[in-house]
Amino acid sequence: MTEPHTPRRRPTLVAVGHGSRDPRARATLSRLLDRVRELRPGLDVRLAHIELNAPLLDATLAQLADEGRGAVLVPLLLAPGHHVTHDLPAALAAAPALRARLAAPLGAHPLLVEALADRLAQAGWTPGDGDSPATGIVLASAGSRDPRSGAETRRIAALLGERLGGVPVLAAYASAAAPTVPEAVRALTARGRHRIAVASCFTAPGLFATRAAAHAPWIASDPLGAHPALARLVLHRYDAALRTPVRGRELATV
């Protein structure tokens, strides 16, 4: 008698947030993952945090190993800093029984830029603002000492400027890197740009996002949150990681 075919179970998508003391952060990421589940019915999608919030990543990986599941970790982070290149590989190394791989961070991708532009529009940016010699944008992100992080953030800034008609977009950081948001605002002002928006390049509300928005001379967009384009990008990173051959626990750079 022929055994019935059992479809192979897809690896769990573990979306990894940093963690925040702001209670809005976890709720926002939960809404984002609800959108991911709507786009991919039947896929096991779980949220984990590097620190500060439960469930913590180590506990989530241990549970998946106990369940005999595979996993793809998708960092809900914008660029390859210390968390992506050190903390996440270390967490996987501490769970050797788990079949898992890492996806790339969200990074410079048209879907991310779509979400950034839409959040700016919701804050009051109009198509005509892109043509004005008085406007400029500061792209505010967390910041990292890793030079690859700054390079990636500058690529995001360049893509956003192109999408908005060539308006100057300067990358700025809330910590660990320069320029700061106030410094970027001053640099744009020195170029005659007095109508300056802050684009919040954060996945969820938190201290850094709040501080960055407070420095906006004009408008500040909300964090990306549960934007539909961000949900599609999370799945894109998951799918790309599964397609990318990796050796052991290396980062799947996609």
Side-chain angles (χ1 to χ4, degrees):
M1 180 176 177
T2 303
E3 292 292 331
H5 173 69
T6 301
R8 185 176 179 182
R9 188 163 54 177
R10 288 175 290 180
T12 296
L13 190 163
V14 181
V16 186
H18 179 274
S20 172
R21 292 183 176 85
D22 190 321
R24 298 172 297 171
R26 189 183 189 285
T28 297
L29 296 184
S30 294
R31 289 194 296 272
L32 171 63
L33 297 193
D34 284 342
R35 284 193 180 274
V36 172
R37 295 182 186 100
E38 290 170 2
L39 291 170
R40 192 69 58 85
L43 178 63
D44 183 28
V45 179
R46 306 190 193 187
L47 175 62
H49 301 90
I50 297 169
E51 59 184 5
L52 298 175
N53 297 128
L56 290 172
L57 179 58
D58 290 347
T60 298
L61 297 183
Q63 180 179 357
L64 288 169
D66 288 344
E67 295 173 6
R69 299 190 66 97
V72 175
L73 275 60
V74 179
L76 299 180
L77 303 168
L78 282 303
H82 184 79
H83 293 309
V84 172
T85 60
H86 180 268
D87 291 341
L88 299 189
L92 284 182
L98 179 67
R99 304 183 315 277
R101 62 176 67 194
L102 294 178
L106 300 175
H109 191 279
L111 286 169
L112 179 68
V113 175
E114 177 184 338
L116 286 166
D118 199 29
R119 289 290 187 238
L120 278 170
Q122 292 166 1
W125 184 272
T126 68
D129 290 319
D131 300 324
S132 170
T135 56
I137 296 172
V138 173
L139 180 74
S141 67
S144 169
R145 293 182 178 86
D146 190 322
R148 292 170 294 180
S149 178
E152 188 74 3
T153 306
R154 290 190 294 274
R155 283 193 286 269
I156 296 170
L159 289 174
L160 181 60
E162 291 172 7
R163 183 181 177 98
L164 297 179
V167 63
V169 180
L170 296 186
Y173 309 96
S175 70
T180 64
V181 173
E183 288 169 344
V185 168
R186 288 194 292 271
L188 285 171
T189 301
R191 293 162 57 178
R193 303 278 173 166
H194 302 289
R195 205 160 180 249
I196 301 170
V198 170
S200 183
C201 197
F202 301 94
T203 53
L207 179 62
F208 287 165
T210 300
R211 285 180 176 173
H215 292 298
W218 175 35
I219 58 174
S221 63
D222 288 336
L224 299 169
H227 193 282
L230 199 65
R232 298 201 304 275
L233 180 53
V234 169
L235 283 170
H236 172 78
R237 293 303 188 206
Y238 170 86
D239 292 336
L242 288 177
R243 292 194 302 268
T244 303
V246 292
R247 298 188 303 274
R249 299 296 182 86
E250 292 179 355
L251 175 68
T253 52
V254 295

